[in-house]
Amino acid sequence: MIALEQAQKMIDVALETGASAGWKPLSAVVLDGGGHVLAFARADGAAPGRFEIARAKAYGAVMLGMGGKAQMARAEAQGYFMAAVNGIYGGQTCPVPGGVLIRDNDGLVIGAMGVTGDTSENDAEAALAGIAAAGLTGES
């Protein structure tokens, strides 16, 4: 289980990671193991539509049990499969880096974090920093 305090810490650190690096304004969401939103924040200047992108990145990760990098590789190798999965989930997934699985100390998936706003690789880096700061393990 991810505590609200941990979710907020992940988001704060992810947004600060982007700001410190001079990246474009980030938005970040943390979902629980069932794909439900625990916390969200959008940095000043971030586009208002970023919530849905961040949520879709995280939702795909938690529902498929694979991070955004793995999803993107799967989409490149088997585009028809990932298109079908996106249809199954009502268009709610975004198979690119920035959707990061959250694992507990036993290695169990307990949620996912989605970050968006800069390059997908930078988004994933910010998510991993936030997850680590909360004492958990990220898998991008």
Side-chain angles (χ1 to χ4, degrees):
M1 186 172 124
I2 301 170
L4 179 59
E5 182 179 334
Q6 287 176 300
Q8 199 60 55
K9 176 78 170 177
M10 289 181 226
I11 289 172
D12 291 345
V13 170
L15 296 185
E16 179 56 35
T17 297
S20 294
W23 298 340
K24 294 176 185 173
L26 300 179
S27 296
V29 67
V30 176
L31 306 183
D32 66 16
H36 305 285
V37 175
L38 293 173
F40 170 76
R42 182 170 54 94
D44 293 342
R50 291 291 179 173
F51 169 77
E52 290 300 336
I53 298 169
R55 194 203 54 74
K57 287 181 175 187
Y59 191 78
V62 77
M63 289 296 132
L64 295 171
M66 65 175 75
K69 287 182 183 179
Q71 290 178 63
M72 188 168 82
R74 185 81 182 260
E76 289 169 347
Q78 294 181 310
Y80 64 90
F81 173 76
M82 290 305 287
V85 165
N86 200 30
I88 290 165
Y89 289 121
Q92 296 183 67
T93 67
C94 185
V96 297
V100 179
L101 286 176
I102 302 170
R103 294 187 183 271
D104 67 12
N105 293 331
D106 295 324
L108 299 174
V109 174
I110 57 172
M113 183 171 194
V115 176
T116 185
D118 203 78
T119 66
S120 292
E121 292 76 19
N122 287 347
D123 294 345
E125 185 178 327
L128 289 167
I131 293 165
L136 299 166
T137 302
E139 181 182 316
S140 61

